[in-house]
Amino acid sequence: MPSARWVEENRVGYKAIYQHFRQQILAGHLKPGDRVPSIRVLAGELQVARKTVEAAYEILSGEGYFVSQGAKGTRVNPQLKLAAPATAPDAPPAAAAHLPVIENHGELRLGIPALDAFPLKKWLLISGKVARSLRPEEMITPPVMGYQPLRSAIASYLNISRGLQCQPEQVFITSGYRANLRLILAVLAQPHDKVLFEDPGYFFGQQLLKRITPHLHFVPVDQQGVDVDYLQRYHADARFAVVTPTHQSPLAVTLSLPRKHQLLAWAQQQHSWIIEDDYDGEFHYTRKVIPALKSLDTHDRVIYTGTFSKTVMPALRIGYLMMPQATIARFRELGEMLETGLPLLPQKILAQFLSEGHFYRHIKKMRILYQQRRSMMLQALEHCFPGLFQVERADGGMHIVAFLRRGTADHAIASLWAQHALFVRPLSAWYVQTQKRYGLVIGYTNIQSFEQARALLARVADATWALLAV
């Protein structure tokens, strides 16, 4: 702890406190995981205002040196690793050596689940058991359509959680979202088929389809979800419609019930396919269940898809799709030609994670946690940027859309924030047609406190206001 004399000699201020702790960490005197004094205790010891200490701690948290753990106090970030200095041990470290290396995914990044809340110990325990139980006959080529117990576990979970009537033989295990789209179109599409996508729509899905689909068209989205009237007026002859009805990506609105029925009627009449991407359908807050569009599908025209990237971890690289009964043979045939089978070991681990109930308990916990973390982010946005953004709250999801109340500079703002390791996305980049809205798409799932969110946004507050004033 810095002494009162030290603070006095350094002209008592938050910068002096910040620099002291930073130097102590870089010198190795404070190590990852070490607890530091509370704001109240340190302010009392140094006889300075609590706000002085609070400001220093916010900067240290924002830069990744400190982590607030609520009632457990504030600690040096346990994940902090310091780059080794290139100079001799007794020489002053180079400027580059002062930069912390944090083993994380980037702040405010979209689609990353709360990694700090994942039951990693349970996952590792299951992983060890599964690895030790691997049998010689399982070391051959994995099943093309996926490990049977995993297919059964997914079908069982979807029937309970998403209101489906799914049989295990309808589940096809894939490597994720892009693999889902590629496989579906490879099995069912003809070169001349028209494919519809939401506008705005998931940026990477849009970019993929532009490359693999010759006839790609876009349907606008409003407060009730994808505009089915527009679809029927201009694209009634489409063969596929790719939609995110539970929480639209990126606007997070829910497709209204009348439009759900209207969309299903169109697919049945035209003998077309609806590809339902239920990417974060598990995370709803105010209602127990938002039924999947597939749950209303009486004519088997919806191909339901999902992944475990946003519920377990992106590195798992496991997704799935629910094949309509009439298409199972075609999916199996092409799957064998494309050699789509995934490695067996992660499938076995995930199957046990689901069947033992750990997945359900984790999702239930995340619904509460994400609602709390969204509130923290919204408070921090208003604190650092009063009057700049308008947020239309959705019933859940993993991100917020902060619409600019004035101006169109979302690209410039996102670029500026990225320079400070805040990886948000400009909303206008998700649009294809001319009727755009402007704002930032912001992830909040790894925000652990209001103080952390405020410190992160404080990095870019002055520069953002200056940018908008130009």
Side-chain angles (χ1 to χ4, degrees):
M1 179 186 295
S3 66
R5 178 183 176 184
W6 172 87
V7 175
E8 182 177 353
E9 290 175 350
N10 285 274
R11 298 184 179 179
V12 185
Y14 74 91
K15 288 185 179 179
I17 298 172
Y18 157 77
Q19 289 170 354
H20 172 80
F21 278 109
R22 184 171 177 271
Q23 290 167 1
Q24 290 291 300
I25 293 170
L26 293 172
H29 302 309
L30 279 175
K31 296 179 171 53
D34 284 356
R35 187 168 181 171
V36 298
S38 70
I39 292 173
R40 178 183 60 81
V41 169
L42 186 57
E45 288 287 336
L46 300 179
Q47 298 182 356
V48 297
R50 290 181 61 176
K51 287 187 177 296
T52 302
V53 180
E54 183 178 351
Y57 276 35
E58 283 187 2
I59 297 173
L60 289 161
S61 297
E63 292 185 350
Y65 291 100
F66 281 2
V67 172
S68 175
Q69 298 181 327
K72 295 181 180 179
T74 300
R75 297 178 184 273
V76 178
N77 192 337
Q79 295 181 311
L80 183 64
K81 290 188 176 181
L82 300 175
T87 54
D90 57 345
H98 283 204
L99 297 176
V101 178
I102 308 296
E103 292 185 332
N104 66 11
H105 42 77
E107 305 290 355
L108 311 187
R109 192 184 295 275
L110 300 180
I112 307 296
L115 303 180
D116 64 302
F118 182 71
L120 184 59
K121 290 183 179 178
K122 179 60 67 177
W123 180 268
L124 294 176
L125 181 63
I126 293 173
S127 300
K129 290 180 179 179
V130 168
R132 290 190 295 271
S133 67
L134 195 65
R135 301 188 304 272
E137 60 268 26
E138 293 177 328
M139 299 178 184
I140 311 173
T141 305
V144 168
M145 299 177 73
Y147 179 55
Q148 186 59 42
L150 177 57
R151 298 171 70 192
S152 297
I154 290 173
S156 177
Y157 184 80
L158 292 178
N159 293 340
I160 296 171
S161 175
R162 309 302 294 130
L164 307 189
Q165 295 182 351
C166 178
Q167 301 301 317
E169 62 265 22
Q170 291 179 268
V171 177
F172 197 119
I173 307 299
T174 73
S175 62
Y177 173 82
R178 294 175 177 84
N180 285 339
L181 286 183
R182 286 183 179 277
L183 182 59
I184 291 169
L185 294 177
V187 172
L188 300 177
Q190 299 297 321
H192 61 274
D193 284 343
K194 180 187 289 187
V195 179
L196 304 181
F197 200 70
E198 297 169 324
D199 188 31
Y202 179 49
F203 182 80
F204 293 107
Q206 176 193 121
Q207 297 303 308
L208 171 65
L209 289 174
K210 283 181 178 179
R211 286 165 172 77
I212 67 174
T213 305
H215 303 286
L216 180 63
H217 298 268
F218 297 88
V219 181
V221 175
D222 58 25
Q223 290 300 312
Q224 298 183 62
V226 65
D227 188 342
V228 186
D229 284 336
Y230 182 98
L231 182 157
Q232 292 179 313
R233 187 179 307 119
Y234 297 105
H235 302 296
D237 60 336
R239 178 70 167 159
F240 298 89
V242 184
V243 296
T244 51
T246 303
H247 298 130
Q248 198 274 335
S249 177
L251 298 181
V253 297
T254 300
L255 186 63
S256 68
L257 187 59
R259 287 192 181 179
K260 286 180 179 178
H261 287 294
Q262 188 182 6
L263 185 62
L264 291 168
W266 162 78
Q268 191 270 329
Q269 292 164 8
Q270 298 294 324
H271 205 64
S272 299
W273 296 108
I274 300 168
I275 302 174
E276 177 179 10
D277 175 17
D278 200 27
Y279 71 101
D280 69 352
E282 299 291 353
F283 301 122
H284 36 266
Y285 305 150
T286 62
R287 287 176 280 180
K288 287 187 177 180
V289 175
I290 299 178
L293 177 64
K294 179 64 180 176
S295 69
L296 306 174
D297 177 25
T298 57
H299 296 282
D300 216 9
R301 303 309 305 175
V302 176
I303 304 170
Y304 180 92
T305 72
T307 83
F308 291 95
S309 293
K310 295 175 176 60
T311 52
V312 178
M313 64 184 83
L316 189 60
R317 305 299 297 167
I318 293 181
Y320 56 89
L321 59 89
M322 179 181 170
M323 302 168 285
Q325 285 284 357
T327 68
I328 292 176
R330 281 184 280 173
F331 273 95
R332 180 185 296 111
E333 179 183 5
L334 191 63
E336 290 174 349
M337 288 190 289
L338 297 176
E339 295 185 339
T340 53
L342 298 184
L344 183 63
L345 200 58
Q347 293 188 69
K348 292 191 69 174
I349 296 168
L350 181 59
Q352 193 164 332
F353 191 69
L354 266 69
S355 62
E356 291 182 358
H358 307 300
F359 180 73
Y360 174 79
R361 288 189 288 272
H362 177 58
I363 292 298
K364 187 176 180 180
K365 178 183 175 182
M366 291 305 97
R367 289 184 188 129
I368 299 171
L369 183 67
Y370 288 169
Q371 186 175 17
Q372 295 170 343
R373 292 186 172 185
R374 179 175 69 174
S375 179
M376 295 170 187
M377 177 54 69
L378 291 174
Q379 292 178 42
L381 269 177
E382 185 56 32
H383 178 86
C384 294
F385 302 101
L388 179 59
F389 297 111
Q390 174 189 349
V391 178
E392 299 169 358
R393 291 203 184 198
D395 184 57
M398 299 174 68
H399 69 266
I400 59 175
V401 181
F403 296 98
L404 284 171
R405 292 183 182 273
R406 58 184 182 277
T408 61
D410 58 356
H411 273 276
I413 296 174
S415 178
L416 169 66
W417 288 26
Q419 295 172 24
H420 295 267
L422 302 184
F423 298 110
V424 300
R425 296 223 171 241
L427 175 62
S428 62
W430 299 53
Y431 284 87
V432 175
Q433 302 176 20
T434 55
Q435 297 297 319
K436 296 183 178 183
R437 299 182 72 182
Y438 298 86
L440 301 178
V441 186
I442 304 172
Y444 57 78
T445 50
N446 282 279
I447 293 299
Q448 298 179 25
S449 68
F450 165 70
E451 290 75 19
Q452 181 196 11
R454 183 173 62 179
L456 291 174
L457 296 179
R459 295 183 193 173
V460 294
D462 289 345
T464 301
W465 287 115
L467 173 68
L468 295 173
V470 175

